[in-house]
Amino acid sequence: MDHAFPCGNISLDFVGSLRARRDESPIEMLTSPARLDSWFAESGIVDAPTTSRPADVTAAMALREAIYDLVSARMAGKTYAKAALEVVNDAARKPSVVPQLTRGGRRTEATPAQALSTVARDAIAILGGPDAALLKECSRPGCTQTYLDTSRGGRREWCAMETCGNKMKAAAYRARKRDERLATAR
């Protein structure tokens, strides 16, 4: 897998395709039509190849940033920006991915616009529903992944334990051990 899906949520994982977005040099994962096609396949939106073009990558990046703007506004308790709403709603108006039954089983083919519509509709479901109150951003410095905190008590701090959680816990453990060594050396 080339892409990361720490949230288990299609639209929030799509937002994470621009990693470390507040760093001086964020890491762009959607660098070409082929990379966008691989994101669609790895996310499970489609199981048949898509044929994205450069214009589809541009549309995907615009949708991703619009979703991020709306999620950020929701987390900050601010009003949604009209431009971001228009981008998400325009994408959602297009037909979404529709699975088909074939003799060989389930098959999901889609155009890039249909795949993006599926992402936009998922974002609308989150932002327009009760899950919007569960939105958080990972607390690991450098990670800007957003996620839904469905943990008991709502105390989850990281987008995923396997990545950011382990890094933060390992750093805390090393800091405790260093402090213990310094305390015994005195």
Side-chain angles (χ1 to χ4, degrees):
M1 275 177 91
D2 290 334
H3 301 280
F5 301 90
C7 302
N9 177 278
I10 201 81
S11 59
L12 298 179
D13 283 330
F14 190 65
V15 166
S17 66
L18 180 62
R19 298 183 184 158
R21 63 178 53 243
R22 286 190 287 278
D23 284 0
E24 191 172 303
S25 299
I27 302 165
E28 176 62 69
M29 301 306 293
L30 305 178
T31 55
S32 68
R35 297 285 294 158
L36 179 60
D37 291 339
S38 72
W39 192 93
F40 291 147
E42 290 177 29
S43 70
I45 292 176
V46 298
D47 54 24
T50 50
T51 53
S52 295
R53 296 195 166 116
D56 299 316
V57 175
T58 301
M61 289 177 174
L63 176 61
R64 178 191 62 203
E65 295 311 304
I67 294 170
Y68 182 74
D69 288 349
L70 296 174
V71 167
S72 296
R74 175 61 169 99
M75 289 187 300
K78 295 182 180 176
T79 303
Y80 294 145
K82 183 179 179 184
L85 286 171
E86 287 176 1
V87 170
V88 171
N89 288 331
D90 286 346
R93 281 186 190 97
K94 294 177 176 69
S96 65
V97 173
V98 178
Q100 301 291 305
L101 186 61
T102 68
R103 290 180 183 190
R106 182 180 191 263
R107 182 89 169 150
T108 307
E109 299 176 4
T111 65
Q114 288 173 308
L116 291 175
S117 177
T118 299
V119 172
R121 289 171 187 222
D122 184 70
I124 290 169
I126 291 171
L127 291 164
D131 285 346
L134 304 175
L135 285 165
K136 285 189 176 179
E137 187 171 85
C138 186
S139 64
R140 183 178 70 82
C143 183
T144 55
Q145 180 67 56
T146 55
Y147 62 94
L148 294 174
D149 182 1
T150 58
S151 67
R152 179 180 278 172
R155 296 188 322 216
R156 183 172 154 192
E157 297 179 43
W158 308 293
C159 59
M161 189 61 195
E162 304 81 40
T163 53
C164 292
N166 282 339
K167 289 177 184 177
M168 293 300 290
K169 286 187 172 205
Y173 174 79
R174 287 191 303 273
R176 279 193 311 274
K177 290 299 179 185
R178 182 184 61 242
D179 291 346
E180 288 172 8
R181 282 193 310 272
L182 290 173
T184 56
R186 291 180 190 180

